[in-house]
Amino acid sequence: MLRWVRQQLGFDPPHQSDTRTIYIANRFPQHGHYVPQKFADNRIISSKYTVWNFVPKNLFEQFRRVANFYFLIIFLVQLMIDTPTSPITSGLPLFFVITVTAIKQGYEDWLRHKADNEVNGAPVYVVRSGGLVKTRSKNIRVGDIVRVAKDETFPADLVLLSSDRVDGSCHVTTASLDGETNLKTHVAVPETAVLQSVANLDKLVAVIECQQPEADLYRFVGRITVSQQTEEIVRPLGPESLLLRGARLKNTKEIFGVAVYTGMETKMALNYKSKSQKRSAVEKSMNSFLIIYLIILLFEAILSTILKYAWQAEEKWDEPWYNGKTEHERNSSKILRFISDFLAFLVLYNFIIPISLYVTVEMQKFLGSFFIGWDLDLYHKETNQRAQVNTSDLNEELGQVEYVFTDKTGTLTENEMQFRECSINGIKYQEVNGKLTPEGFSEDSPDGNRHSLMREEELFLKAVCLCHTVQINADQTDGADGPWHANGIASPLEYYASSPDEKALVEAASRVGVVFTGTSGDSMEVKSLGKPERYKLLHVLEFDPNRRRMSVIVESPSGEKLLFTKGAESSILPRSKSGEIDKTRIHVDEFALKGLRTLCIAYRRFTPEEYQEIGKRLHEARTALQQREERLADVFNFIERDLELLGATGVEDKLQEKVQETIEALRVAGIKVWVLTGDKHETAVSVSLSCGHFHRTMNILELVQHKSDSTCAEQLRQLAKRIKEDHVIQHGLVVDGTSLSLALREHEKLFMEVCKNCSAVLCCRMAPLQKAKVVRLLKTSPEKPITLAIGDGANDVSMIQEAHVGIGIMGKEGRQAVRNSDYAIARFKFLSKLLFVHGHFYYIRIATLVQYFFYKNVCFITPQFLYQFFCLFSQQTLYDSVYLTLYNICFTSLPVLIYSLFEQNVHPHVLQSKPVLYRDISKNAHLGFKPFLYWTILGFFHAFVFFYGSYLLMGEDTSLLGNGQMFGNWTFGTLVFTVMVITVTMKMALETHFWTWINHFVTWGSIVFYFIFSLFYGGIIWPFLHTQDMYFVFVQLLSSGSAWFAIILIVVACLFIDVLKKVLYRHLQPTSTEKAQLTEAGSGINCLDSMCCFSDGETACTSVRRMLERLMGRCSPTRVNSVCKVTEETCI
């Protein structure tokens, strides 16, 4: 029962051991007192709530928000003491906000529960009691042997036991995990690979020892002990033995595997971990404004309480003849009375805090995020991919970016590799019409038209064909004759590879005569100029980012043991002792200067004694459960030494379309671009120049190849000095990984000073964590700039998560970057539309929304404060409680919400063609202290005009009704409220530039709804209302011509100052955005609105009309439709 309760509450007991022991088919030892380990069941739980914890957990999360908690306190105060307003006035809006948010979150969680139930209820087959038993996925236990058929997904993390192939291999695709569509080969250990029937597997006695679950998809350490008669055979298990949940079986009829990780302990589920919560600058501004308004509220409440007691110092006001005190009131404590009055005033003024702001912002972000996915300009037709929004909390942050950190390969480039050149034995070669031709020779020259390969060339190409992880489409290798049609004509082999570089090299080798034709068991087959050769694959030394190389050990047809190694030149050349090392190094640098990606290739021959020693060391390291990676790294380093260099390759990665234009646009917008790449220095600089990141006229500064702190610091000081001396010239900085580590260790300030004075920064030879460290360094600098990181591979995840905004590119390096990003796009060029258009609109919309909310609440509650001066601070409310409740919920909520979804202050074409407009909104320009102060002062000004305008127009003894009746306090309050609703709605109309029929409907509809509601509310006696102070008040008010005159006069007086300010600023101090609005008007993107559009003919009001048109700067949807037909140049 306790365990069930813990599961329901979401607690997961920690594992006690570093490893887990799994008895296959759950055959536990019968002797001794064995206590089996407890493992998670196979249920996937992506939901946040359960039926039992939804209410308490959701309420706890919602009341962590300051505004919600504040209104809860106010509501409780209203319940406990005698306050001037009903508890309903605070309780109903709070209940509405809490309920709407809870329904939204509950619905989203119900969808997650529904998806979980589909996954957990999927049928699977498990080996039990000598046969196959059909059960549900959620019933799989650790140790169960599971059968998976072709094209099915794996229901848990399984260790492969056997397949329908003799060698126990199978092919899988992990597209749903990391996006890689290539086929990956997994193999079973020889002792279990032969067990291909259920009956044989049921007799298997074996134990698996492996590490506890971890999120890394590419890491698995374990070993299997198989009991055969009297002996126990131990075999190592690695990632090649593990079939991950979510991956799909391909080109294999069926496999059997034992479940080692289940449910929420599978690697797929562990990668669901929620990212750290990112908060936008707007949200932080909102909280700051909220605190300021809380201070204003406390000030008003304290001032009102003090003034009340100052008035009551005189006896005639303390106890007037018409309102005598009771004996209890006379004897009550003055301190308690003061606290009670203070709380009553707090309740009276509490609506200055906009409770509905949070729920409106949440709805705006959620609904607004759909526009990114719907934008056809962000749709990539070739790959059929739309832009993707993973979090809507950061929409407005797209309009605040100051630094962009981008990966190179797959982000700026296509990640489509094409073989260009190679260096073999110190001679450079190019591919010409399917032949390797030495540089300087043409195909027509005597040496250029050869039909055979030299020994060094053939060995080099064989190394390329053997040292890789490339797979061949199984349909092409199943036939007896291999990849040949019946008529004898060869069909091109279809290769699959996790690395585009490997695929390009193997395809190039096949074109020039050395063809990799596939694997058969533990053999690799190669055709050299039509002659088939079979190499036995003995060991694979897997690639890792620390070694930056991979190797294979093979046995040649002649029985020789050979090591073939390929990798970065920095990891191969220092380990080579023979070959044309110097010439190859020169060629590699030349390739890099051309922007080619380079790899060096070397080999080594083993004597039988050397190979025996290597085999022993490898087995010990691979069967170790503790520190396996470190031991393997030591053994790999021992093997990969004394190499003979064969040559190097140069592969071109094409730039993506419009990369240069996008980077230039970012620079014009005031955004600094940093390129962070793992490529070598020369390659990275060449690509930076070709993509426009570096200009040819730019002064390139270098901080590279430093080995000590002192030399690094000295170089930094020299660079800083050069920048100061040549401050007119633009500078670009190149820094490599090792120098960066030294610079960040003790010279952070100096390094940052140099970087900030450079127009562009290029960091090469970067490890993934170094990328994140650089982002963090900028992010936490004193200026605290908004950062954006964009990348396409798993090595970019750390920087994507670290930056304020993370963007994943849907490229060829998997989907890990996309899964961990906030937004995902198909191409780098889409970044300009995402920032300059969507970012601009989102920021303008939410900035206005936030400040408008505070403005309209100041307008709302300040007359209440002023009214206390006329009622002896008796806490008499100015408005009816129904109006208090519905003001934020109904009367003024929809116009600002629709504005925040559809507003376009400048046409999208203009925004994209004029990136400089992005500077107008940078550094939180519209939510700074000055705009906030303007909106607040405007709110107080309008509130004073509402109150004193109504007071002065009514007078003290003036009858405004035809029958001579006087206005009462409810009539006065209703007049103030009516003027307020019209004014704040018209203020929203003044701020709107882009009018749709929805804007018209909700703007004018809100005013009409208020009038209709007030007529019904005050015109009928409602039996369920305890008191009805407003009965016939509104009807009497509207029957007075003086009241109508007062309403129109006060509304015009309020908005006139605002209109005047806008006109003066637009003419005397226009911003770039306002100038662009005028450009729109001149280029044909005019408004077609009845409020601000006029004919082009000269009339008496032409100048006024032109002024209004410039003031509003509006565009209409019908006009925008026609604009889509004109060229982009017309819109500029």
Side-chain angles (χ1 to χ4, degrees), residues 67-68 109 193 204 233 297 366 375 388 391 410 492 501 551 671 700 730 748 835 923 979 981 1058 1083:
N68 289 351
D109 207 59
L204 175 65
I233 301 170
L297 170 64
F366 174 70
D375 190 343
Q388 183 179 314
T391 175
D501 299 75
S551 303
I671 299 171
I700 308 296
Q730 281 193 327
E748 271 192 16
L835 298 186
K923 298 186 184 297
V979 170
V981 168
D1058 196 41
S1083 64

Side-chain angles (χ1 to χ4, degrees), residues 1023-1057:
F1024 53 82
L1025 292 177
H1026 180 60
T1027 58
Q1028 198 157 347
D1029 299 322
M1030 294 296 294
Y1031 179 65
F1032 225 63
V1033 168
F1034 197 71
V1035 177
Q1036 280 189 326
L1037 180 69
L1038 296 187
S1039 68
S1040 167
S1042 303
W1044 281 106
F1045 173 74
I1047 290 170
I1048 294 168
L1049 190 63
I1050 294 169
V1051 170
V1052 171
C1054 283
L1055 297 177
F1056 176 74
I1057 302 296

Side-chain angles (χ1 to χ4, degrees), residues 401-445:
V401 174
E402 295 171 61
Y403 283 86
V404 167
F405 298 92
T406 174
D407 176 41
K408 183 183 75 68
T409 306
T411 305
L412 300 179
T413 62
E414 288 283 4
N415 206 9
E416 284 184 3
M417 309 302 173
Q418 290 185 342
F419 175 78
R420 289 292 178 229
E421 295 182 65
C422 66
S423 170
I424 304 174
N425 200 31
I427 302 170
K428 276 206 289 187
Y429 291 82
Q430 292 178 331
E431 183 189 352
V432 180
N433 294 332
K435 297 182 180 66
L436 268 188
T437 307
E439 191 177 53
F441 291 93
S442 66
E443 192 180 359
D444 300 327
S445 62

Side-chain angles (χ1 to χ4, degrees), residues 878-909:
L878 178 62
Y879 316 118
D880 183 71
S881 58
V882 171
Y883 285 161
L884 279 171
T885 305
L886 298 183
Y887 175 74
N888 276 318
I889 294 177
C890 296
F891 299 146
T892 60
S893 59
L894 277 180
V896 67
L897 177 62
I898 297 303
Y899 168 92
S900 67
L901 290 174
F902 298 120
E903 172 62 356
Q904 294 181 14
N905 61 332
V906 185
H907 194 274
H909 287 308

Side-chain angles (χ1 to χ4, degrees), residues 714-777:
E714 180 59 31
Q715 179 69 7
L716 278 171
R717 280 189 282 270
Q718 287 180 10
L719 293 177
K721 186 179 176 183
R722 282 181 63 186
I723 290 171
K724 284 179 183 175
E725 290 171 354
D726 303 330
H727 61 277
V728 180
I729 306 171
Q730 281 193 327
H731 299 279
L733 177 68
V734 182
V735 56
D736 62 10
T738 53
S739 302
L740 181 72
S741 298
L742 295 171
L744 297 183
R745 194 177 301 165
E746 292 181 8
H747 314 292
E748 271 192 16
K749 283 189 178 179
L750 188 57
F751 177 68
M752 285 304 302
E753 185 186 338
V754 171
C755 289
K756 285 179 182 176
N757 289 317
C758 291
S759 303
V761 178
L762 169 64
C763 301
C764 52
R765 289 298 190 212
M766 296 283 284
L769 289 177
Q770 279 184 313
K771 291 184 178 184
K773 200 169 182 179
V774 169
V775 175
R776 192 182 309 120
L777 184 67

Side-chain angles (χ1 to χ4, degrees), residues 675-688:
V675 175
L676 312 180
T677 178
D679 278 350
K680 71 189 301 283
H681 172 209
E682 292 82 3
T683 305
V685 170
S686 175
V687 173
S688 279

Side-chain angles (χ1 to χ4, degrees), residues 134-164:
K134 187 178 180 180
T135 184
R136 294 182 182 274
S137 174
K138 64 182 180 183
N139 297 327
I140 293 175
R141 297 170 297 171
V142 171
D144 280 348
I145 299 175
V146 182
R147 191 204 75 168
V148 179
K150 184 180 178 180
D151 292 328
E152 290 182 353
T153 57
F154 302 113
D157 286 353
L158 312 174
V159 166
L160 180 61
L161 294 178
S162 65
S163 71
D164 63 319

